[in-house]
Amino acid sequence: MECRKVLLITDSKALESWCTEELYGDFSVSVVSFEKIRFLSYSHVLGDLDAVLVDYSVEQERFIMGLYRYVCGATPYSHVKCIILYDSYSHSLSQLRETFRNADLFNLISPAFSLRKLFGTDGQLEMHAPHSLYGSLYGPVMSMTDFDARLKIVASHDECVLLLGESGSGKTWAAKKIHQYSNRCKEKFLSVNVAEFNPNLIEGNLFGITVGAFTGAVAQKGCFEEADGGTLLLDEIGELPVLLQAKLLSVIENRSYKRIGSIKECSFDEKLIFATNKNLEECVQNHTFRSDLFYRINCLTLYVPPLRSHKNDIPSLARQFSLKLQKTLSRTAIEKLCNYSWPGNIRELENVVKRACIFSKKEQVTADDIMFSCYG
C-alpha cells in the first residue's frame, strides 16, 4: 500500500506525539505550527496530501475557517480531507457543526475508534466511520499528574461528571478521588453498578419503595436516598433500560425523586458521577441511550486513560498490590510488568501481581513468577 500523506496543524506537542505514533508505518505525518503555516502558501502546504488534520482552538478559528474554505473551494485539492480535531471538554459540538457545516469533526475524548481506523485498508479516509477518537489529549498522552489535576477541578463543582474509559482502567478509583477532593468528602460515597440490578427491581433500587406499593412490598431506601449529602456513582450507565432513562433525566433536572408507591417528592443534594466503557454517542445513534440524557450528563467529561498510556505508574501500582500480600517485587519482575500491553488495565495488573505473590514461595517475586495468562 502506498504511504498516505497527512498534515497535522497544531501547537500541541502532546497531540503531535499521539498522532505521529498512531499513524506510524502506513502514513507519512508532517507537522506544522499555526505560527509557521501563516508564512506558507496554501498550494505549497497542501501539495499531494490525502488529509489535513487541524487542532481546533477559538484563537485560531478565523485561520482554520480560511484554510477549510480554501480546501473545499480549490478544485485541485478537492481530494484533500479537512478534518477538525476538537475535544468536547472545552468546545461545543453544536457550535462547531454550525461553523464548519461540511467539515469532518472528530472528538478527541469520546471513546470510539483510533485515528488509524478512520482510514480504510486502501489508505483512503472512511468518512462513514464514527466521528470521534479514543483518547488523545485526555487519554494516551495525558500524564497521571495532569489527570489528577482535572479530578480536582471537577470535584470543585457540583455538575454531573461522566467518566469514560476501558474496562478496568480505574473509573471507580477516579470517582472516589473526586469524592475525596470535594467538599463532600466527609459524607458517604456510594458506588452502584446499574448492570447488576434486576431489571424488574431497578427503579426501586434507585429511588426506593414504600410499604404496600405492591403485594409484599416493604419500605426500602433507594441509592439516591442512601447517598444524600455525599457522592453517588452510577457505574455502567449505558446499561440502564431506555424506559428508566427518561425518569432518571427528570430526577437529575429536578433534583428530586418519588419512591415507588408514593406521590411525595423527595429532594436530594449529592454529587452525581456516571461511568461507562460504552460509546454513548453510538448508543444514542442506535437508540439504546436517550440523547437528552446523554447531553445532560455529558457536562464534566473525563476520559480515564488505559494503563498502557501511563506505564510509568506500573512500578508503584504493582508494589502497592504486592505489599498487601507482604511480598516485594524484584527489578526483573518490574521490568517484565512494564513491557506488557495490559489489555485488562489496572484490574489485570492487580490480578497478575496477586497471582505471582500467592504462588511464589519466595519473599521477593521474580520475573519467572509473573504469568500474564492463567495457562502459563
Side-chain angles (χ1 to χ4, degrees):
M1 184 184 75
E2 180 184 353
C3 188
R4 298 292 169 173
K5 296 181 179 180
V6 177
L7 174 68
L8 170 65
I9 304 174
T10 182
D11 292 328
S12 169
K13 292 296 183 183
L15 185 57
E16 174 184 340
S17 174
W18 180 77
C19 286
T20 303
E21 180 179 347
E22 182 72 10
L23 297 177
Y24 177 79
D26 298 326
F27 303 88
S28 173
V29 182
S30 301
V31 184
V32 62
S33 67
F34 281 102
E35 180 180 3
K36 183 177 179 180
I37 199 172
R38 293 178 189 279
F39 296 98
L40 304 175
S41 67
Y42 286 147
S43 58
H44 174 75
V45 171
L46 296 176
D48 56 350
L49 290 175
D50 292 282
V52 55
L53 311 180
V54 186
D55 181 15
Y56 175 80
S57 68
V58 176
E59 295 79 9
Q60 304 292 349
E61 184 173 277
R62 289 185 64 184
F63 172 79
I64 296 172
M65 177 57 75
L67 174 66
Y68 166 64
R69 287 175 175 168
Y70 183 84
V71 173
C72 292
T75 303
Y77 309 112
S78 58
H79 68 284
V80 179
K81 296 295 183 181
C82 186
I83 303 165
I84 310 298
L85 305 179
Y86 74 100
D87 67 87
S88 60
Y89 186 90
S90 305
H91 308 297
S92 166
L93 175 58
S94 59
Q95 182 179 339
L96 287 174
R97 280 177 174 163
E98 180 65 25
T99 305
F100 304 96
R101 294 189 178 184
N102 297 313
D104 299 300
L105 304 174
F106 292 92
N107 184 4
L108 290 166
I109 67 172
S110 291
F113 295 92
S114 69
L115 180 58
R116 178 178 290 273
K117 289 185 179 179
L118 296 176
F119 293 81
T121 54
D122 61 352
Q124 296 295 329
L125 279 170
E126 290 191 0
M127 301 324 298
H128 297 295
H131 290 187
S132 52
L133 309 179
Y134 202 112
S136 187
L137 297 184
Y138 303 108
V141 295
M142 172 173 271
S143 71
M144 290 309 290
T145 300
D146 292 336
F147 182 70
D148 192 64
R150 287 193 171 271
L151 293 179
K152 292 178 180 178
I153 292 174
V154 301
S156 64
H157 298 273
D158 263 347
E159 293 293 334
C160 295
V161 177
L162 177 60
L163 298 175
L164 306 171
E166 298 175 13
S167 178
S169 59
K171 295 185 291 296
T172 300
W173 167 85
K176 289 179 179 178
K177 295 292 286 186
I178 291 172
H179 175 69
Q180 292 170 8
Y181 290 144
S182 74
N183 57 9
R184 302 175 183 271
C185 58
K186 294 182 180 179
E187 303 298 330
K188 187 172 185 177
F189 172 84
L190 179 62
S191 173
V192 293
N193 189 326
V194 174
E196 294 178 353
F197 285 144
N198 183 321
N200 298 320
L201 303 175
I202 189 169
E203 186 174 353
N205 291 135
L206 289 174
F207 311 122
I209 303 172
T210 57
V211 177
F214 49 83
T215 303
V218 296
Q220 174 185 319
K221 287 184 177 182
C223 300
F224 280 84
E225 186 175 356
E226 287 280 359
D228 194 24
T231 301
L232 174 62
L233 166 64
L234 293 180
D235 200 2
E236 303 296 349
I237 191 62
E239 303 294 338
L240 187 69
V242 176
L243 291 177
L244 267 177
Q245 291 175 21
K247 181 163 287 190
L248 179 60
L249 174 65
S250 176
V251 167
I252 298 172
E253 292 284 3
N254 301 321
R255 306 296 291 183
S256 65
Y257 60 89
K258 293 178 183 177
R259 283 186 171 191
I260 294 179
S262 173
I263 60 173
K264 180 184 177 181
E265 289 279 350
C266 301
S267 61
F268 66 89
D269 174 30
E270 59 204 47
K271 176 82 168 179
L272 294 177
I273 303 178
F274 305 89
T276 183
N277 59 10
K278 282 191 170 185
N279 180 355
L280 292 185
E281 290 176 338
E282 284 188 353
C283 292
V284 169
Q285 294 173 2
N286 296 332
H287 306 292
T288 59
F289 200 85
R290 292 177 61 103
S291 59
D292 48 5
L293 179 58
F294 171 67
Y295 293 125
R296 182 61 185 84
I297 67 176
N298 187 26
C299 181
L300 301 178
T301 304
L302 287 178
Y303 175 76
V304 182
L307 182 58
R308 61 183 174 276
S309 72
H310 54 104
K311 285 192 171 184
N312 289 341
D313 294 307
I314 290 177
S316 60
L317 287 170
R319 290 188 180 102
Q320 289 177 37
F321 298 144
S322 65
L323 288 175
K324 290 180 181 179
L325 295 172
Q326 299 180 335
K327 293 286 183 75
T328 59
L329 299 172
S330 69
R331 179 181 57 79
T332 57
I334 292 292
E335 289 177 351
K336 187 172 182 178
L337 292 173
C338 290
N339 290 328
Y340 184 60
S341 61
W342 299 110
N345 293 299
I346 295 176
R347 186 181 295 129
E348 182 185 12
L349 172 63
E350 182 174 12
N351 288 337
V352 167
V353 172
K354 283 183 176 179
R355 182 163 59 238
C357 290
I358 290 172
F359 284 106
S360 176
K361 296 181 180 180
K362 306 181 291 289
E363 289 188 5
Q364 186 175 71
V365 174
T366 64
D368 293 336
D369 298 312
I370 303 293
M371 296 182 296
F372 300 116
S373 168
C374 58
Y375 298 106

